[in-house]
Amino acid sequence: RIRQGRGQPIRADGPQTHFKKAGTPTMGGLMMLTGIVGASLLWANLGSIYVWVVLFVTLGFGEIGFYDDYLKVTKQSHMGYSGKARLAAEFLIAGIATFIIMNAGESPFSSSLTFPFIKDLLLNLGWFFIPFAAFVIVGAGNAVNLTDGLDGLAIVPVMVAAAAYGVIAYLSGNAVFAD
Protein backbone atom coordinates (compact mmCIF):
# COMPACT_ATOMS: atom_id res chain seq x y z
CA ARG A 1 0.00 0.00 0.00
CA ILE A 2 2.88 2.37 0.77
CA ARG A 3 4.42 1.88 -2.68
CA GLN A 4 1.09 2.38 -4.46
CA GLY A 5 0.28 5.66 -2.77
CA ARG A 6 -3.47 6.10 -2.69
CA GLY A 7 -4.13 2.64 -4.20
CA GLN A 8 -6.71 1.88 -6.85
CA PRO A 9 -9.02 4.76 -7.79
CA ILE A 10 -12.76 4.09 -7.91
CA ARG A 11 -14.99 5.10 -10.84
CA ALA A 12 -17.34 7.95 -10.00
CA ASP A 13 -20.22 6.30 -11.89
CA GLY A 14 -19.94 3.01 -9.97
CA PRO A 15 -22.15 1.77 -7.12
CA GLN A 16 -22.06 3.82 -3.91
CA THR A 17 -20.86 0.78 -1.97
CA HIS A 18 -17.59 0.80 -3.94
CA PHE A 19 -16.48 4.22 -2.70
CA LYS A 20 -15.49 2.73 0.66
CA LYS A 21 -12.98 0.59 -1.26
CA ALA A 22 -11.04 3.63 -2.51
CA GLY A 23 -7.34 3.25 -1.84
CA THR A 24 -7.44 -0.55 -1.74
CA PRO A 25 -4.06 -1.92 -2.83
CA THR A 26 -4.17 -3.48 -6.27
CA MET A 27 -2.07 -5.97 -8.27
CA GLY A 28 -2.91 -8.97 -6.07
CA GLY A 29 -2.84 -11.03 -9.24
CA LEU A 30 0.95 -11.02 -9.01
CA MET A 31 0.74 -13.26 -5.95
CA MET A 32 -1.61 -15.63 -7.76
CA LEU A 33 0.57 -15.72 -10.87
CA THR A 34 3.66 -16.41 -8.78
CA GLY A 35 1.90 -19.34 -7.11
CA ILE A 36 0.57 -20.73 -10.41
CA VAL A 37 3.90 -20.49 -12.21
CA GLY A 38 5.86 -21.82 -9.25
CA ALA A 39 3.55 -24.80 -8.75
CA SER A 40 3.50 -25.51 -12.48
CA LEU A 41 7.28 -25.48 -12.75
CA LEU A 42 7.57 -27.79 -9.76
CA TRP A 43 4.79 -30.29 -10.41
CA ALA A 44 3.42 -30.01 -13.96
CA ASN A 45 4.56 -32.20 -16.85
CA LEU A 46 6.94 -29.74 -18.50
CA GLY A 47 7.23 -32.05 -21.49
CA SER A 48 3.63 -31.30 -22.42
CA ILE A 49 3.03 -28.48 -24.89
CA TYR A 50 -0.37 -27.92 -23.29
CA VAL A 51 1.22 -26.91 -19.96
CA TRP A 52 3.33 -24.31 -21.76
CA VAL A 53 0.35 -23.00 -23.74
CA VAL A 54 -1.71 -22.57 -20.56
CA LEU A 55 1.21 -20.80 -18.87
CA PHE A 56 1.59 -18.58 -21.95
CA VAL A 57 -2.09 -17.54 -21.83
CA THR A 58 -2.06 -17.12 -18.05
CA LEU A 59 1.08 -14.97 -18.04
CA GLY A 60 -0.03 -13.03 -21.13
CA PHE A 61 -3.39 -12.14 -19.61
CA GLY A 62 -1.64 -11.45 -16.30
CA GLU A 63 0.74 -9.03 -18.03
CA ILE A 64 -2.21 -7.18 -19.56
CA GLY A 65 -3.88 -6.96 -16.14
CA PHE A 66 -0.65 -5.80 -14.52
CA TYR A 67 -0.21 -3.07 -17.13
CA ASP A 68 -3.82 -1.96 -16.64
CA ASP A 69 -3.40 -1.77 -12.85
CA TYR A 70 -0.04 -0.03 -13.24
CA LEU A 71 -1.59 2.68 -15.43
CA LYS A 72 -4.46 3.17 -12.97
CA VAL A 73 -2.15 3.53 -9.99
CA THR A 74 0.47 5.74 -11.62
CA LYS A 75 -2.09 8.05 -13.27
CA GLN A 76 -4.41 7.96 -10.21
CA SER A 77 -7.33 7.50 -12.59
CA HIS A 78 -9.82 4.71 -13.17
CA MET A 79 -8.81 4.89 -16.84
CA GLY A 80 -6.27 2.15 -17.44
CA TYR A 81 -5.38 0.24 -20.56
CA SER A 82 -7.71 0.98 -23.49
CA GLY A 83 -10.52 -1.57 -23.76
CA LYS A 84 -10.02 -2.05 -27.49
CA ALA A 85 -6.26 -2.49 -27.14
CA ARG A 86 -6.79 -4.88 -24.23
CA LEU A 87 -9.22 -7.03 -26.22
CA ALA A 88 -6.93 -7.00 -29.26
CA ALA A 89 -3.97 -8.17 -27.15
CA GLU A 90 -6.09 -10.86 -25.49
CA PHE A 91 -7.39 -12.12 -28.85
CA LEU A 92 -3.83 -12.24 -30.18
CA ILE A 93 -2.63 -14.28 -27.19
CA ALA A 94 -5.65 -16.60 -27.33
CA GLY A 95 -5.34 -16.99 -31.11
CA ILE A 96 -1.66 -17.97 -30.85
CA ALA A 97 -2.47 -20.45 -28.08
CA THR A 98 -5.34 -21.96 -30.05
CA PHE A 99 -3.17 -22.28 -33.17
CA ILE A 100 -0.49 -24.12 -31.17
CA ILE A 101 -3.06 -26.43 -29.58
CA MET A 102 -4.62 -27.13 -32.98
CA ASN A 103 -1.26 -28.07 -34.47
CA ALA A 104 -0.19 -30.16 -31.47
CA GLY A 105 -3.41 -32.15 -31.19
CA GLU A 106 -4.72 -35.12 -33.09
CA SER A 107 -7.02 -34.54 -36.03
CA PRO A 108 -10.05 -34.28 -36.04
CA PHE A 109 -10.17 -33.59 -32.29
CA SER A 110 -7.78 -30.66 -32.48
CA SER A 111 -10.21 -28.57 -34.52
CA SER A 112 -13.51 -29.99 -33.34
CA LEU A 113 -16.06 -29.02 -30.79
CA THR A 114 -16.80 -32.03 -28.61
CA PHE A 115 -19.80 -32.46 -26.38
CA PRO A 116 -19.46 -33.89 -22.86
CA PHE A 117 -20.97 -37.36 -22.38
CA ILE A 118 -21.69 -37.81 -26.12
CA LYS A 119 -18.75 -39.79 -27.49
CA ASP A 120 -19.56 -39.80 -31.18
CA LEU A 121 -20.73 -36.21 -31.68
CA LEU A 122 -17.94 -34.02 -33.08
CA LEU A 123 -18.49 -30.69 -34.78
CA ASN A 124 -15.37 -30.13 -36.91
CA LEU A 125 -14.89 -26.37 -37.19
CA GLY A 126 -11.71 -26.49 -39.28
CA TRP A 127 -9.83 -23.18 -39.22
CA PHE A 128 -12.90 -21.47 -37.74
CA PHE A 129 -11.87 -23.25 -34.53
CA ILE A 130 -9.17 -20.61 -33.94
CA PRO A 131 -11.48 -17.56 -33.71
CA PHE A 132 -14.13 -19.62 -31.91
CA ALA A 133 -11.72 -20.89 -29.25
CA ALA A 134 -10.07 -17.45 -28.94
CA PHE A 135 -13.53 -15.95 -28.35
CA VAL A 136 -14.24 -18.54 -25.62
CA ILE A 137 -10.87 -17.92 -23.92
CA VAL A 138 -11.18 -14.12 -24.02
CA GLY A 139 -14.84 -14.28 -22.97
CA ALA A 140 -14.08 -16.50 -19.98
CA GLY A 141 -11.16 -14.32 -18.90
CA ASN A 142 -13.21 -11.14 -19.12
CA ALA A 143 -16.18 -12.71 -17.35
CA VAL A 144 -13.96 -13.38 -14.34
CA ASN A 145 -12.44 -9.90 -14.63
CA LEU A 146 -15.88 -8.23 -14.69
CA THR A 147 -17.10 -10.36 -11.78
CA ASP A 148 -14.01 -9.44 -9.79
CA GLY A 149 -14.58 -5.78 -10.60
CA LEU A 150 -18.06 -5.89 -9.08
CA ASP A 151 -16.95 -6.67 -5.56
CA GLY A 152 -13.30 -7.64 -5.73
CA LEU A 153 -14.09 -11.21 -4.81
CA ALA A 154 -14.30 -13.43 -7.87
CA ILE A 155 -13.35 -16.51 -5.86
CA VAL A 156 -16.92 -17.73 -5.24
CA PRO A 157 -17.95 -17.82 -8.92
CA VAL A 158 -14.55 -19.29 -9.80
CA MET A 159 -15.03 -22.04 -7.18
CA VAL A 160 -18.50 -22.88 -8.54
CA ALA A 161 -17.21 -23.03 -12.12
CA ALA A 162 -14.14 -25.05 -11.09
CA ALA A 163 -16.33 -27.54 -9.23
CA ALA A 164 -18.57 -27.94 -12.29
CA TYR A 165 -15.56 -28.44 -14.57
CA GLY A 166 -14.07 -30.88 -12.05
CA VAL A 167 -17.23 -32.99 -12.04
CA ILE A 168 -17.37 -32.96 -15.85
CA ALA A 169 -13.67 -33.90 -16.09
CA TYR A 170 -14.09 -36.69 -13.57
CA LEU A 171 -17.15 -38.13 -15.26
CA SER A 172 -15.62 -37.82 -18.74
CA GLY A 173 -12.41 -39.50 -17.62
CA ASN A 174 -14.06 -42.25 -15.58
CA ALA A 175 -14.30 -45.37 -17.74
CA VAL A 176 -17.60 -46.48 -16.20
CA PHE A 177 -19.36 -43.19 -16.95
CA ALA A 178 -17.57 -42.58 -20.27
CA ASP A 179 -18.89 -45.83 -21.72
Side-chain angles (χ1 to χ4, degrees):
R1 184 180 183 122
I2 293 169
R3 291 184 185 200
Q4 290 185 8
R6 292 183 286 170
Q8 174 126 1
I10 304 297
R11 293 173 60 127
D13 58 349
Q16 294 295 321
T17 57
H18 286 201
F19 290 113
K20 66 182 178 188
K21 293 175 17 177
T24 301
T26 185
M27 299 186 193
L30 283 175
M31 290 186 295
M32 292 179 12
L33 286 175
T34 302
I36 290 169
V37 171
S40 296
L41 293 176
L42 286 173
W43 294 299
N45 177 7
L46 299 180
S48 172
I49 188 71
Y50 302 112
V51 170
W52 292 106
V53 169
V54 169
L55 283 174
F56 169 70
V57 171
T58 302
L59 290 173
F61 278 37
E63 186 177 336
I64 293 168
F66 175 83
Y67 183 63
D68 183 50
D69 286 350
Y70 177 78
L71 289 176
K72 289 177 184 176
V73 170
T74 56
K75 292 181 179 179
Q76 282 302 306
S77 166
H78 68 276
M79 301 298 291
Y81 196 27
S82 157
K84 290 179 183 177
R86 181 183 185 116
L87 282 174
E90 288 174 351
F91 270 106
L92 178 67
I93 291 167
I96 291 169
T98 304
F99 179 77
I100 293 169
I101 288 171
M102 223 174 115
N103 287 326
E106 293 181 27
S107 185
F109 298 107
S110 63
S111 62
S112 294
L113 184 62
T114 60
F115 298 90
F117 312 114
I118 305 173
K119 289 174 85 173
D120 299 326
L121 183 58
L122 288 176
L123 182 60
N124 192 346
L125 300 177
W127 287 103
F128 183 70
F129 183 76
I130 293 175
F132 174 77
F135 179 78
V136 170
I137 293 168
V138 171
N142 280 292
V144 172
N145 195 27
L146 288 172
T147 303
D148 185 49
L150 292 176
D151 64 0
L153 298 172
I155 192 64
V156 174
V158 168
M159 286 177 11
V160 171
Y165 283 125
V167 169
I168 290 170
Y170 172 76
L171 293 176
S172 296
N174 189 320
V176 174
F177 290 111
D179 285 336

